[in-house]
């Protein structure tokens, strides 16, 4: 699960998956058409742009080059979502201006962590816990 902490976020993906919108997000816009990326950027002026690499695989280089060469886009942080790590593509995306890359394994829900007493109660039987709970004289 990705928790986005930016005031204005633009997500370019076929559908919203694994992005948790936090209460401090003032504007969260999702688009799926590649032709509406730059009009949407001019409309909402996002602080963060999240791109789905697998969806934009044919156009991602052109989009990133346009974002990196235009000085009016310099304050936009760019994140990219990919299914898995690739030794040649990921460094190339970083050189094109991607600030952070999320992978499919980042989208999984984090397990709920238990404290030590909850963990021990799962291991011990109830009669043993009752004996431990009785005061010793």
């Amino acid at each position: 699960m990705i928790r986005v902490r930016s005031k204005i976020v633009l997500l370019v993906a076929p559908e919203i998956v694994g992005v948790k919108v936090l209460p401090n997000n003032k504007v969260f816009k999702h688009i799926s058409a590649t032709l509406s990326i730059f009009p949407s950027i001019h409309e909402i002026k996002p602080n963060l742009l999240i791109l789905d690499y697998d969806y934009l695989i044919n156009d991602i280089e052109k989009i990133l080059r346009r974002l990196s060469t235009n000085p009016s886009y310099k304050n936009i942080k760019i994140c990219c979502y990919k299914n898995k790590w690739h030794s040649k593509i990921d460094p190339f995306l970083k050189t094109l201006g991607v600030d952070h890359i999320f992978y499919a394994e980042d989208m999984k829900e984090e397990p709920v962590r238990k404290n030590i007493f909850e963990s021990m109660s799962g291991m011990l039987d109830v009669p043993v816990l009752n004996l431990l709970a009785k005061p010793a004289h």
Side-chain angles (χ1 to χ4, degrees), residues 9-16 28-41 43-44 49-52 55-56:
V9 180
L10 178 62
L11 173 66
V12 183
E15 57 189 40
I16 299 176
F28 185 88
K29 184 173 182 179
H30 168 252
I31 59 171
S32 59
T34 57
L35 295 176
S36 61
I37 293 173
F38 291 99
S40 296
I41 288 174
E43 177 186 337
I44 66 170
L49 178 64
I50 302 173
L51 303 171
D52 186 347
Y55 178 66
L56 300 169

Side-chain angles (χ1 to χ4, degrees), residues 5-136:
R5 293 183 187 205
S6 185
K7 292 184 180 182
I8 304 171
V9 180
L10 178 62
L11 173 66
V12 183
E15 57 189 40
I16 299 176
V17 177
V19 178
K20 183 176 182 180
V21 181
L22 297 176
N24 62 346
N25 295 105
K26 291 182 180 175
V27 177
F28 185 88
K29 184 173 182 179
H30 168 252
I31 59 171
S32 59
T34 57
L35 295 176
S36 61
I37 293 173
F38 291 99
S40 296
I41 288 174
H42 289 288
E43 177 186 337
I44 66 170
K45 297 177 181 24
N47 301 54
L48 179 68
L49 178 64
I50 302 173
L51 303 171
D52 186 347
Y53 175 80
D54 298 322
Y55 178 66
L56 300 169
I57 194 164
N58 297 328
D59 299 324
I60 192 116
E61 183 178 353
K62 181 175 68 171
I63 293 166
L64 291 174
R65 287 188 187 277
R66 183 172 174 186
L67 287 168
S68 64
T69 57
N70 193 334
S72 63
Y73 303 134
K74 69 179 179 180
N75 293 331
I76 300 174
K77 297 286 183 194
I78 303 169
C79 296
C80 198
Y81 168 74
K82 291 182 65 189
N83 280 329
K84 59 183 179 177
W85 184 81
H86 192 275
S87 62
K88 292 183 181 178
I89 294 172
D90 292 1
F92 181 64
L93 290 174
K94 292 281 189 172
T95 59
L96 289 176
V98 174
D99 296 306
H100 189 71
I101 300 174
F102 299 108
Y103 300 101
E105 58 205 32
D106 296 335
M107 297 297 175
K108 296 176 185 170
E109 282 288 332
E110 295 178 7
V112 177
R113 296 184 182 166
K114 296 181 179 181
N115 63 25
I116 191 163
F117 298 111
E118 290 173 347
S119 299
M120 287 181 60
S121 67
M123 294 186 299
L124 300 174
D125 291 329
V126 176
V128 174
L129 287 176
N130 289 337
L131 289 174
L132 292 175
K134 293 181 182 179

